[in-house]
Amino acid sequence: MAKQYWIGEFFVDLSRNQITQNKQPQLVAPKALAVLTCLAEKQGKVVSQNTLLSEVWPDTIVSPNSLQRSIAQLRKALGDDGKGQIYIKTHSKQGYSLECNVRWQPESQTDLHAKPILPECQNKIGHLEKNNDVPTKLLNWRTTLTFLFITLALSSLIGIRYATSDESQLFSVGEIRALTASDGREFASIYSPDGKYIIFHRFSMEECVNNIWAKNLETQQEYKLTEDIDSYGTHSFSPDGKQLVFIRTMDCEQPTTQKKCYQLISMDFKKALREPQPMNVLLECKTSEIRLPHWLKNNDIALLHRESTRSQLISYSPKDKQSKVLYQVDNGNIIYYDYSVKDDLFSVISIHKDSKHYVEILDSNGELISSNPIVFTPDSERKKYLVANFSPIENHLIFSTGRQFFTLSYNGEVKNISIPLDQPTFSPNFHPDGERALVIKGNYDSDIAVIPMNHLRSEQLSVNSHIIDRSAVAEDTAIAEPIGNLIAFSSNRSGNEQIWLKGNQPLVQLTKFPIDSYISGMHWDERGESILANVNNKLVQVHINGEQQHYTTPHLILELLHWHRASDKVLTFANIRGVQKLTEYDLKTSQFKVVTDKRINWADKTNNGLLVYTDNMDRFWLVDGIDAEPITALDNQGGDNKRFIIKDSTIYGMNNELELWSYNLINQHFNTLGSLPSNTINIDDIDKENVLITVRIASKKEVVEIVLKE
């Protein structure tokens, strides 16, 4: 059977799940297209409901409602309101028929601009609309002229609004304005369904928790919605705008498989505008994780649900207190999803078994409409996690890599668009009118400090006196040269994240990576001649003279954990079919192996090859040969997903009380070395008698609204 055919002036492409008219494609669910194809194969004849159900849903028991929904989708795509029944006719108690002639497209021909047949259904349209006193030819001319006039008028309006059909012109920004301006850190902002309010989180740097706030865009008045400060996640409105739903993360009272528990919370929004409201717990997860709630049109709540290492898209009914799986990827994983209230569609970003990113469009029941691999441009690949949201551009999502924005079509095509923002931003959330959007814009300020260990017990410790080279931007991942006095670290001080060297001489920028690059892990070789870094999910060896050697790996590298230069073995977190796994990569032979399938928080190796890792309960394990043995002396010393490092045979780590400790694997001796500054983010390296740490100076994030040009 041909995969493409014409129904009047509509071009049906089964391979793309599209119906196209006048170069304007519409995505249609595969089952609906299968119904249309069954009718097309028997054009002009009545096809019974039982026949359609058995052919389209073989070996599946479904109700006639499924068929009726498909017919409604088809009529909408064909511009048929169902009353005139121009294309698809209902025969009471019998079935349906396709009343329009069909022209099947040869498989070798894919030109959808070929002249379509304008058959009897087109004449029926004329018959329904014409005055009997008007001659048919004159009517046809008037219809043609009217069509041309409307087309020209629409083209003019589109030209005025968008200038061209190119996506870079669709996002011509007319104004950028800040909506929040406190000393706090604001993020996770959305519009209310009526567009009158924005909802956002205000974060406390001292307590590392947040409250949920609302702001009236007309009066500029702000409202604190939650009674208590806590750890809240992203939020969503009910379709009527009366309820707000969000995720609360907290420590499990009796952890079994994970330390954190998750609650789905709802709140009366109107009441919260008068005074902070208590939380209504809809759902609690103690052995799995839920995130990204979206309230659906049918009043169910969609969630991304993770058990073990893989995520699935589910819907939860607060009324029935039941959940069901909407979509999951076989031998792959879902990375992110968004929901369009306007179109009642899901967009899903996933990684499949071929390790490629896919963009997938689902209907509200989770039925797959389209699935296409994403064709990244070189500059759009520089993104750790692809967060793509629905946009006003038809059949397009939008995402950010930092200071660059990109459109992502439902077919997987990526294009760069220009938005004049000088600081990294998160992907935008659009106003219901599509004319403006919210982004989170700001700057994170952290520095590298080198502190002698004998100073850690001093009550007079001042971290400011130990910062190696102060800047007002993010700096981290400091590593000390093994046999010299150089310190390498990553910094944004030149506008993009680069590797810098600090020694007795002035500061030196070692690399010139492109815009929106990011570095996840660096290690010196044993001779201090080069640095291996994970840059944009790829391993790059950077020599002191600036020369670079790039390595090709079969999977994306999420984090570089350890590099043993003598054997050229690299310990990494790698993205394998959308799941983070602990892996080892041989730079010489290009061999790649998974070390363990367990969910790992962090890992490192001793000089003689012993592996130490922490699991998702922050317990330490030592792997000597095949078996992994728990290091019970380090129970409760792992902190909340904190990093550790190994020097020779000694582990150095930081607990939740910000105490630096050491544990010798040979004599099994544990020692508390002293207290680190309260603004310590990570311990980066141990340099003889010094500890290199990343300290937080400030974090400024604010909600910004971008207004598109008319």
Side-chain angles (χ1 to χ4, degrees):
M1 181 191 72
K3 293 185 177 181
Q4 298 169 326
Y5 55 93
W6 288 90
I7 295 178
E9 58 185 354
F10 291 92
F11 181 73
V12 182
D13 188 345
L14 300 180
S15 64
R16 294 176 178 268
N17 297 326
Q18 289 181 348
I19 295 179
T20 301
Q21 181 192 33
N22 296 329
K23 302 182 182 179
Q24 297 297 319
Q26 300 179 68
L27 287 172
V28 181
K31 292 296 186 184
L33 286 179
V35 171
L36 182 61
T37 303
C38 285
L39 295 174
E41 290 173 336
K42 301 175 179 63
Q43 188 273 328
K45 298 180 180 178
V46 178
V47 184
S48 69
Q49 288 192 13
N50 290 337
T51 299
L52 290 170
L53 289 171
S54 62
E55 290 194 17
V56 177
W57 290 272
D59 305 320
T60 304
I61 299 176
V62 296
S63 69
N65 290 336
S66 299
L67 175 59
Q68 292 165 8
R69 283 198 301 268
S70 294
I71 294 294
Q73 291 174 22
L74 293 171
R75 283 175 170 158
K76 181 179 178 181
L78 297 171
D80 190 346
D81 61 8
K83 296 179 181 179
Q85 298 190 359
I86 298 167
Y87 293 92
I88 299 175
K89 185 176 181 180
T90 301
H91 300 269
S92 180
K93 298 182 181 181
Q94 297 183 56
Y96 302 93
S97 64
L98 183 64
E99 296 298 297
C100 196
N101 284 341
V102 178
R103 179 165 66 88
W104 298 95
Q105 187 92 324
E107 294 194 11
S108 59
Q109 181 182 346
T110 59
D111 183 13
L112 58 81
H113 303 301
K115 184 178 180 180
I117 294 176
L118 298 179
E120 63 221 35
C121 57
Q122 187 67 27
N123 294 332
K124 290 181 181 180
I125 296 174
H127 178 73
L128 289 171
E129 296 177 347
K130 71 179 181 179
N131 185 318
N132 290 333
D133 295 331
V134 180
T136 302
K137 288 185 178 181
L138 180 59
L139 175 69
N140 289 338
W141 273 107
R142 286 181 177 178
T143 303
T144 303
L145 288 173
T146 301
F147 175 78
L148 289 173
F149 175 79
I150 293 173
T151 301
L152 289 172
L154 288 175
S155 299
S156 299
L157 288 172
I158 293 171
I160 293 171
R161 175 67 177 86
Y162 294 129
T164 72
S165 62
D166 184 75
E167 282 84 352
S168 64
Q169 299 298 322
L170 290 173
F171 282 86
S172 181
V173 176
E175 184 182 356
I176 301 175
R177 55 193 179 206
L179 298 183
T180 58
S182 72
D183 291 329
R185 179 184 174 193
E186 289 95 11
F187 57 97
S189 184
I190 61 171
Y191 290 102
S192 60
D194 59 11
K196 294 181 179 180
Y197 294 88
I198 61 167
I199 315 300
F200 61 92
H201 291 173
R202 181 161 285 156
F203 186 79
S204 168
M205 296 301 298
E206 291 75 22
E207 301 181 55
C208 293
V209 284
N210 58 285
N211 260 318
I212 302 178
W213 289 71
K215 183 171 185 173
N216 188 310
L217 294 177
E218 294 179 1
T219 66
Q220 301 300 305
Q221 185 175 354
E222 292 186 352
Y223 308 86
K224 190 175 79 163
L225 304 181
T226 45
E227 283 186 313
D228 302 314
I229 196 166
D230 213 321
S231 181
Y232 303 120
T234 55
H235 33 243
S236 174
F237 274 98
S238 58
D240 59 11
K242 295 180 179 180
Q243 296 286 319
L244 193 65
V245 68
F246 50 91
I247 303 294
R248 178 193 180 202
T249 304
M250 58 186 182
D251 292 329
C252 295
E253 292 183 1
Q254 296 180 329
T256 54
T257 60
Q258 60 189 35
K259 294 181 68 175
K260 297 294 181 182
C261 290
Y262 303 87
Q263 292 180 335
L264 179 65
I265 306 291
S266 70
M267 175 186 294
D268 189 307
F269 177 62
K270 298 300 181 183
K271 289 183 179 179
L273 291 176
R274 295 193 292 268
E275 61 178 343
Q277 290 294 298
M279 294 178 293
N280 177 32
V281 179
L282 302 177
L283 175 68
E284 185 168 4
C285 295
K286 298 180 179 180
T287 59
S288 60
E289 177 184 347
I290 51 174
R291 60 189 179 96
L292 296 178
H294 281 282
W295 214 313
L296 308 179
K297 277 189 173 181
N298 63 3
N299 279 318
D300 286 353
I301 299 170
L303 296 160
L304 206 55
H305 178 232
R306 181 172 75 173
E307 287 185 304
S308 184
T309 57
R310 298 186 184 276
S311 297
Q312 56 188 1
L313 181 62
I314 68 168
S315 66
Y316 175 75
S317 170
K319 179 182 178 181
D320 301 330
K321 300 188 183 303
Q322 297 289 327
S323 64
K324 64 178 181 180
V325 177
L326 292 176
Y327 185 65
Q328 58 188 351
V329 179
D330 294 334
N331 205 16
N333 204 15
I334 297 176
I335 306 302
Y336 181 79
Y337 86 99
D338 193 23
Y339 173 70
S340 170
V341 177
K342 176 185 175 184
D343 299 324
D344 201 19
L345 293 176
F346 291 105
S347 65
V348 173
I349 304 299
S350 60
I351 297 181
H352 287 206
K353 60 183 179 181
D354 58 4
S355 294
K356 293 181 179 179
H357 283 78
Y358 281 70
V359 55
E360 297 172 296
I361 305 300
L362 319 173
D363 67 15
S364 57
N365 296 313
E367 185 173 335
L368 187 65
I369 296 175
S370 66
S371 177
N372 291 290
I374 300 175
V375 183
F376 288 102
T377 59
D379 51 351
S380 66
E381 285 184 310
R382 297 190 289 277
K383 181 68 178 175
K384 277 188 178 182
Y385 302 102
L386 180 55
V387 177
N389 295 326
F390 281 99
S391 79
I393 310 177
E394 188 176 2
N395 297 337
H396 281 77
L397 310 174
I398 185 172
F399 68 93
S400 166
T401 59
R403 287 186 296 164
Q404 297 182 104
F405 284 76
F406 299 85
T407 57
L408 170 60
S409 74
Y410 293 178
N411 291 332
E413 184 181 11
V414 174
K415 288 187 178 180
N416 197 318
I417 60 177
S418 176
I419 296 181
L421 294 172
D422 61 336
Q423 293 178 333
T425 62
F426 293 96
S427 297
N429 285 301
F430 281 87
H431 189 276
D433 64 13
E435 301 293 330
R436 44 192 166 140
L438 298 174
V439 297
I440 306 301
K441 171 178 172 287
N443 184 51
Y444 187 78
D445 184 1
S446 60
D447 283 325
I448 304 299
V450 180
I451 302 178
M453 289 192 189
N454 57 12
H455 287 196
L456 296 178
R457 298 185 182 275
S458 171
E459 296 180 358
Q460 305 298 321
L461 175 62
S462 172
V463 68
N464 291 334
S465 62
H466 296 285
I467 291 176
I468 62 173
D469 201 297
R470 172 76 182 117
S471 77
V473 295
E475 298 180 329
D476 54 31
T477 320
I479 50 174
E481 187 183 16
I483 58 174
N485 62 355
L486 290 176
I487 294 176
F489 62 97
S490 66
S491 172
N492 285 291
R493 61 178 61 207
S494 63
N496 296 301
E497 190 165 15
Q498 307 292 344
I499 299 176
W500 291 74
L501 297 178
K502 175 67 176 179
N504 296 329
Q505 302 299 319
L507 200 63
V508 175
Q509 180 179 334
L510 184 59
T511 59
K512 292 184 179 179
F513 299 130
I515 186 173
D516 287 345
S517 291
Y518 56 89
I519 301 170
S520 301
M522 301 192 305
H523 286 271
W524 285 97
D525 65 27
E526 286 82 350
R527 296 185 294 272
E529 297 175 349
S530 65
I531 296 168
L532 186 67
N534 178 32
V535 184
N536 303 325
N537 299 124
K538 297 176 182 178
L539 296 177
V540 180
Q541 187 174 355
V542 182
H543 296 268
I544 295 300
N545 61 8
E547 294 181 359
Q548 297 182 9
Q549 181 178 355
H550 296 252
Y551 294 92
T552 301
T553 57
H555 304 285
L556 296 177
I557 306 299
L558 300 177
E559 191 84 37
L560 171 59
L561 304 171
H562 179 83
W563 179 33
H564 188 245
R565 181 68 179 85
S567 63
D568 262 346
K569 296 287 182 67
V570 180
L571 190 68
T572 69
F573 283 141
N575 190 327
I576 300 180
R577 295 184 293 278
V579 176
Q580 175 179 294
K581 290 186 179 292
L582 183 63
T583 60
E584 188 175 66
Y585 180 64
D586 191 319
L587 297 180
K588 293 179 180 177
T589 64
S590 298
Q591 291 183 335
F592 200 87
K593 70 174 183 179
V594 176
V595 176
T596 177
D597 285 324
K598 292 182 179 179
R599 189 173 166 186
I600 305 299
N601 283 345
W602 198 254
D604 201 355
K605 277 191 170 185
T606 65
N607 288 343
N608 58 356
L610 296 179
L611 172 66
V612 177
Y613 65 78
T614 51
D615 61 17
N616 67 317
M617 294 284 285
D618 289 320
R619 297 171 297 199
F620 281 81
W621 296 81
L622 172 65
V623 180
D624 186 0
I626 299 177
D627 295 331
E629 298 288 340
I631 307 177
T632 56
L634 296 182
D635 287 350
N636 302 317
Q637 294 296 329
D640 291 331
N641 197 17
K642 287 184 169 60
R643 302 178 180 183
F644 64 89
I645 58 176
I646 300 179
K647 290 291 181 178
D648 298 324
S649 296
T650 301
I651 308 172
Y652 295 88
M654 176 177 65
N655 58 29
N656 283 336
E657 285 70 42
L658 297 180
E659 293 176 326
L660 179 68
W661 52 261
S662 66
Y663 178 78
N664 189 288
L665 290 167
I666 297 176
N667 59 29
Q668 301 181 355
H669 177 68
F670 177 86
N671 186 25
T672 300
L673 302 175
S675 296
L676 293 165
S678 60
N679 60 344
T680 302
I681 301 172
N682 285 311
I683 56 169
D684 295 326
D685 202 357
I686 301 294
D687 175 22
K688 303 179 179 67
E689 301 299 323
N690 301 313
V691 56
L692 280 65
I693 62 175
T694 299
V695 293
R696 181 185 62 253
I697 305 300
S699 178
K700 178 62 177 174
K701 300 287 184 184
E702 60 183 348
V703 182
V704 174
E705 187 175 55
I706 57 175
V707 183
L708 305 185
K709 282 184 179 179
E710 294 184 0

